[in-house]
Amino acid sequence: MSDVIDKAVERLAVRLPEGFETTAKFVIAGEGAIMVDAEGVRAGDEPAAVTLSADTATFRGMLEGRVNPMTAFMTGKLKVEGPMPLAMKLGKAMARQGG
């Protein structure tokens, strides 16, 4: 497993301590995928209700608060497959300070 995925799992676990209401997947190009569900955050690549995909720099920027998830989406740096309301909830969680 990549260091990028390991660090992202740690940071997302802080931002989503109670998991997520449904299944979500973050795909980081060239690195792998992260699953978030009611049980928490973990590395994995399973079917999900909503999938967010980005390159490593964009994903890292969102986790570090340097990249706004909505701006990344609007500029094509963040791709969303699934219901936009779920994607927006995930974007807010990523933008939280801490971790």
Side-chain angles (χ1 to χ4, degrees):
M1 190 178 322
S2 84
D3 285 345
V4 172
I5 295 295
D6 289 342
K7 289 177 184 174
V9 166
E10 288 175 22
R11 286 183 177 223
L12 283 171
V14 169
R15 288 173 169 81
L16 296 164
E18 296 177 17
F20 193 63
E21 64 193 63
T22 186
T23 56
K25 179 169 40 175
F26 293 98
V27 177
I28 305 172
E31 299 292 341
I34 299 164
M35 299 301 302
V36 183
D37 58 23
E39 295 179 22
V41 181
R42 67 188 178 287
D45 190 1
E46 303 157 23
V50 63
T51 301
L52 282 70
S53 303
D55 63 21
T56 303
T58 301
F59 193 82
R60 183 177 287 139
M62 289 188 298
L63 283 175
E64 293 173 354
R66 295 180 289 107
V67 175
N68 179 294
M70 186 56 75
T71 301
F73 174 74
M74 298 300 280
T75 59
K77 292 181 179 182
L78 176 66
K79 306 277 192 255
V80 175
E81 293 178 35
M84 189 54 68
L86 290 178
M88 290 174 71
K89 284 185 182 182
L90 285 171
K92 286 180 185 177
M94 288 186 72
R96 288 184 195 144
Q97 294 300 312

